Amino acid sequence: MLSRSRVLQSTTGKRRRRRRLKVRLLLGGSIITLLCGGFIFLLHSSSIRIEKVYPVGNNLLSDEDVREVAREALLGNYFYLIPKNNIFLYPRDRIEHGLLTQFKEIKNMEVSFKDFKSITITLSERIPRALWCAQKESSECYFVDESGFIFRKVDRYNENLVTYVVPLEGEPIGQTLLTAEQFMATDSFLQKLKEQEITIIAVTFKEGGVREGEMSVGGTIIWNADQDLTVALENLKTLIDSPQFKSKDSDGNLVVEYIDIQNNNKIFYKARGK
């Protein structure tokens, strides 16, 4: 049997160990609290808080448009403690999402560190390739990029852009006229017509895939979205170059009411006044 003194010594030792453990835990907790507090204090330092935003590469959008969205994303704190405009923890994804959502003019972008008090937003904007208008006479139209994506409202003006007249429902911005492949095929066709000195200024979409292209010198060219335009172009070139084709004025411009190339094997045309 253990003597009473040994039992007392064992009990006392356990109490001392518990007290030492409590002290260590308290010290550890205090150190962690101090470190966390110090870290949060450092994150609040004005020397590492974003104060300036530098947009780069924007032409359609103003600097202030870009800065306003970025400033909105940088407001507030994480968990009510850590400022969002801290250069080490700022919400890059939120800035990018906000800009891409609000401005369809932006095709690609990157938010990056400039210095401890500022960031750079590098933008790649969509390039206007055509115009979309609800009607030919519309004074308000929209820019369309090379993939057929509608991205910005504009007033009609004297610009070397083809106007597409296509029925659309709802808000045009964010919609596409055609699939990217279909739009690029149409755009390529118009460029090849231009090489034949036929400039199309407007394209109207009709039922059944019929397209009517208004020529700059007057009259229209009619084709179909489903046909082989390569063959149609070859036949059209043959017609234009042929001495039998009399529908030209003294300057060599076509003077026709329409040229119908929907049938790859035959081309139909009607001269004005006939």
Side-chain angles (χ1 to χ4, degrees):
M1 294 181 61
L2 294 174
S3 64
R4 183 177 181 183
S5 61
R6 288 184 178 178
V7 172
L8 289 173
Q9 287 176 0
S10 176
T11 303
T12 302
K14 289 180 180 179
R15 289 174 180 172
R16 288 175 180 172
R17 285 194 293 273
R18 289 196 192 100
R19 283 198 296 269
R20 285 198 294 267
L21 180 60
K22 288 180 180 179
V23 170
R24 289 173 182 170
L25 290 173
L26 287 172
L27 286 173
S30 299
I31 292 171
I32 292 172
T33 301
L34 287 171
L35 289 174
C36 290
F39 179 67
I40 293 173
F41 176 78
L42 288 173
L43 292 177
H44 279 267
S45 172
S46 60
S47 62
I48 55 172
R49 302 278 290 276
I50 298 170
E51 294 181 356
K52 295 182 179 180
V53 176
Y54 293 95
V56 176
N58 52 306
N59 294 305
L60 297 173
L61 298 175
S62 70
D63 288 353
E64 190 55 34
D65 286 337
V66 178
R67 290 189 180 115
E68 185 177 351
V69 175
R71 292 191 194 108
E72 180 69 25
L74 293 169
L75 291 175
N77 301 287
Y78 297 111
F79 310 111
Y80 304 100
L81 294 173
I82 302 172
K84 290 183 178 179
N85 64 349
N86 181 279
I87 193 63
F88 297 112
L89 299 172
Y90 69 93
R92 180 184 285 104
D93 291 345
R94 186 180 178 188
I95 295 173
E96 292 180 352
H97 181 266
L99 286 168
L100 290 171
T101 300
Q102 187 163 337
F103 301 115
K104 300 303 182 183
E105 295 90 339
I106 302 173
K107 188 174 184 179
N108 296 298
M109 65 173 301
E110 181 181 3
V111 182
S112 59
F113 172 92
K114 180 175 177 61
D115 56 47
F116 287 107
K117 302 190 74 171
S118 58
I119 56 175
T120 298
I121 299 179
T122 304
L123 303 173
S124 174
E125 293 180 332
R126 298 180 186 276
I127 299 173
R129 184 67 182 178
L131 291 173
W132 173 83
C133 302
Q135 299 176 350
K136 287 184 181 180
E137 300 77 18
S138 297
S139 59
E140 294 181 344
C141 298
Y142 295 77
F143 278 144
V144 180
D145 73 0
E146 74 281 357
S147 67
F149 183 83
I150 302 172
F151 64 92
R152 184 181 180 90
K153 186 177 182 179
V154 291
D155 292 330
R156 182 189 286 274
Y157 55 91
N158 186 15
E159 182 78 16
N160 188 27
L161 295 173
V162 178
T163 298
Y164 283 80
V165 182
V166 187
L168 292 176
E169 295 183 0
E171 171 60 41
I173 294 178
Q175 294 196 54
T176 54
L177 298 181
L178 303 162
T179 65
E181 182 180 349
Q182 289 171 333
F183 184 83
M184 287 187 286
T186 303
D187 183 71
S188 175
F189 174 62
L190 299 184
Q191 293 304 310
K192 289 175 181 176
L193 285 177
K194 198 169 186 178
E195 293 172 6
Q196 303 299 323
E197 300 181 350
I198 300 175
T199 299
I200 302 298
I201 59 175
V203 177
T204 301
F205 284 31
K206 302 288 187 177
E207 292 182 359
V210 176
R211 311 286 190 248
E212 289 188 1
E214 180 183 343
M215 294 183 286
S216 61
V217 295
T220 60
I221 291 184
I222 304 170
W223 71 92
N224 195 285
D226 298 326
Q227 73 181 107
D228 184 352
L229 293 174
T230 303
V231 175
L233 278 168
E234 291 175 356
N235 292 335
L236 179 61
K237 184 178 185 304
T238 301
L239 172 66
I240 294 171
D241 293 340
S242 126
Q244 291 79 22
F245 187 64
K246 304 299 184 182
S247 297
K248 293 184 180 180
D249 63 17
S250 58
D251 296 324
N253 294 322
L254 300 178
V255 185
V256 295
E257 185 175 326
Y258 69 82
I259 302 175
D260 189 336
I261 61 173
Q262 292 183 84
N263 188 325
N264 286 331
N265 298 318
K266 294 181 180 180
I267 292 180
F268 303 92
Y269 70 92
K270 180 180 179 182
R272 292 183 199 166
K274 293 186 179 180

